[in-house]
Amino acid sequence: MNVGFSDFFALIAGIFFACTNLLARKFSKIHYQSKSFAIWVGVAVGGALLILITNDLNVINLFNPKSLMLLLIIGLLLFCSTLIIQYGLPKINPVKASPIFTFEIVVAALSSYWLANEILGVKDLVGGVFIILAISLSALK
């Protein structure tokens, strides 16, 4: 099994995503716009630190008008989804919220296949099927 930087970054992102969801519930009295702003500042600072730590300044050379437009569209969609999640998360039961967040793994895998030409292997597809089955079973309760 070959583990690279992208796997390490995905693990870190997953951990921080889980922490964000837990903290969103814990600090439910803080306004959702403030929580969303804090998330985006953390993402920007964390991304900048990772670029500096890995010394991968070549990422700047990847930008062209087409990729900048795609990044802008994805960024706006993620910004809106962060606001919606931070607004709605404290208002719904954790058991009902968990299938939504679990399904994000499937969406992330499919978007990496579509946007980054990642190759999904049999292991990835079987894992996705298990995730969808688990979501379906938990939603039936």
Side-chain angles (χ1 to χ4, degrees):
M1 184 162 148
N2 189 10
V3 178
F5 266 134
S6 60
D7 297 314
F8 178 68
F9 293 149
L11 177 64
I12 291 173
I15 290 169
F16 281 111
F17 181 75
C19 290
T20 300
N21 292 329
L22 290 172
L23 291 172
R25 287 193 182 282
K26 180 169 176 58
F27 297 108
S28 60
K29 298 204 186 315
I30 296 175
H31 206 265
Y32 71 94
Q33 286 114 332
S34 299
K35 291 188 280 187
S36 297
F37 181 74
I39 290 168
W40 281 100
V41 168
V43 167
V45 170
L49 285 174
L50 284 174
I51 288 173
L52 292 174
I53 289 169
T54 59
N55 202 18
D56 192 10
L57 296 176
N58 291 330
V59 74
I60 295 169
N61 297 332
L62 299 175
F63 294 128
N64 58 49
K66 184 179 175 183
S67 65
L68 285 175
M69 183 59 81
L70 182 62
L71 283 174
L72 180 66
I73 291 169
I74 291 172
L76 286 172
L77 290 171
L78 288 173
F79 179 76
C80 291
S81 70
T82 302
L83 284 173
I84 291 167
I85 288 170
Q86 293 307 313
Y87 174 77
L89 188 64
K91 298 182 181 335
I92 60 174
N93 184 323
V95 174
K96 291 182 181 179
S98 111
I100 297 168
F101 289 124
T102 308
F103 191 70
E104 285 187 12
I105 299 168
V106 175
V107 172
L110 293 175
S111 63
S112 68
Y113 170 77
W114 181 57
L115 293 172
N117 296 324
E118 290 283 330
I119 298 171
L120 296 176
V122 173
K123 179 177 67 171
D124 303 315
L125 296 173
V126 169
V129 168
F130 280 132
I131 291 169
I132 292 171
L133 285 173
I135 293 168
S136 302
L137 289 174
S138 70
L140 290 175
K141 285 189 173 183

